[in-house]
Amino acid sequence: MVAMVFTTPKSGGRCMSAVLVLTLLSGILEFAYGSSDEGEDCLCTLLPQPSADHKEETARWMVHSLDWGVLSTISTRVESVVDENGAQKVVHSSGTTTEANSKSVPFGNIYSFVDGVCDDATGTPYFLGTYMDQTFADTLSNSAISLSLTEASIPSVCGTTSALKSCNISPTGYGDPENPVCARLVLSGILEALEPGTDEYLLAQKGLYQRHPSMAQWPSGHKWVFAKLNIQDIWLIDYFGGASILDV
């Protein structure tokens, strides 16, 4: 926390009120946005990225290295219908429409995940969620989900890690999260709740609490569920030339 000190032109004395105000303001901003030193100690060591010709290794590297993504479900809250004028609209689900005049709508939500503890990569994404949340509630009707990851999220893993030039948006660079060289991975499959007390449950719990420490303090009344993505399809772009569909 840094305090700025002003001097008056006549006396050269310190303006204590300004010092106090700016010190307090600095503390408020640091609390809200984090200090410049935040992130120097990474929770896990970030391993080197595989080369673009090693697709499977790149996918495993992303699942182990990244710590959040967009988890998409088939929404039970909204649906797509065609009105009397032939226009397609997204509306709140009424429960009265039929398959003939309504279509499913995807719903994406930010979710933290791990694939194990820092030194034990399993390749399977694990989540901590609750059926009070829309994403988990959706899976009660359709458990099919997709997890979308981007290499552009690397800086959130460790605050001192800069985004790659291929991902970083800048006035003079070519980088962008949609740049094919900025790797994108989509894992699709089934969300499965883990049985409490099993080895896999304990592994997921240990990994999530290690790599997302605040989770251990989340309110118990939410009836948290440890769950995994049973991967059944892998879609990857990490270079020019189109997507790679990888074996599970």
Side-chain angles (χ1 to χ4, degrees):
M1 186 183 302
V2 178
M4 297 179 63
V5 179
F6 294 149
T7 59
T8 59
K10 291 183 179 179
S11 64
R14 293 170 180 255
C15 179
M16 296 306 294
S17 60
V19 173
L20 178 59
V21 169
L22 291 173
T23 299
L24 292 173
L25 179 60
S26 174
I28 293 170
L29 293 175
E30 182 174 316
F31 175 79
Y33 298 104
S35 68
S36 59
D37 295 329
E38 189 173 23
E40 287 186 353
D41 295 325
C42 302
L43 291 171
C44 294
T45 300
L46 189 62
L47 300 177
Q49 181 182 9
S51 60
D53 57 338
H54 290 80
K55 305 298 184 184
E56 290 80 5
E57 289 86 345
T58 296
R60 285 292 296 267
W61 174 80
M62 291 182 70
V63 173
H64 186 62
S65 300
L66 303 181
D67 51 16
W68 63 270
V70 177
L71 193 59
S72 298
T73 55
I74 301 301
S75 179
T76 55
R77 189 180 63 85
V78 294
E79 60 189 353
S80 172
V81 298
V82 177
D83 65 16
E84 62 276 8
N85 297 316
Q88 188 173 11
K89 294 182 177 181
V90 173
V91 299
H92 289 125
S93 296
S94 63
T96 59
T97 54
T98 64
E99 292 185 6
N101 65 2
S102 69
K103 294 183 179 180
S104 300
V105 174
F107 174 74
N109 196 2
I110 300 298
Y111 255 80
S112 298
F113 74 95
V114 298
D115 78 331
V117 294
C118 291
D119 58 355
D120 186 12
T122 68
T124 297
Y126 294 104
F127 311 93
L128 181 60
T130 169
Y131 293 108
M132 297 170 65
D133 178 72
Q134 186 63 49
T135 297
F136 269 57
D138 286 344
T139 65
L140 293 175
S141 296
N142 187 336
S143 58
I145 61 172
S146 289
L147 176 65
S148 302
L149 307 179
T150 171
E151 193 177 1
S153 68
I154 279 289
S156 72
V157 177
C158 182
T160 57
T161 302
S162 300
L164 299 179
K165 289 184 179 180
S166 58
C167 302
N168 193 37
I169 301 172
S170 67
T172 57
Y174 68 95
D176 194 274
E178 274 197 68
N179 183 340
V181 185
C182 182
R184 282 173 276 163
L185 177 67
V186 181
L187 307 173
S188 298
I190 302 300
L191 185 73
E192 297 180 356
L194 301 178
E195 186 68 27
T198 61
D199 290 343
E200 191 171 25
Y201 179 97
L202 296 175
L203 172 66
Q205 182 183 56
K206 183 177 180 180
L208 285 162
Y209 285 178
Q210 178 193 53
R211 300 176 62 179
H212 299 276
S214 67
M215 287 184 172
Q217 309 301 322
W218 288 0
S220 58
H222 285 55
K223 298 181 180 179
W224 298 104
V225 176
F226 289 96
K228 71 176 180 179
L229 169 54
N230 183 344
I231 302 172
Q232 299 178 2
D233 184 77
I234 304 174
W235 181 97
L236 172 73
I237 288 182
D238 66 342
Y239 203 71
F240 302 102
S244 298
I245 308 303
L246 306 180
D247 294 333
V248 178

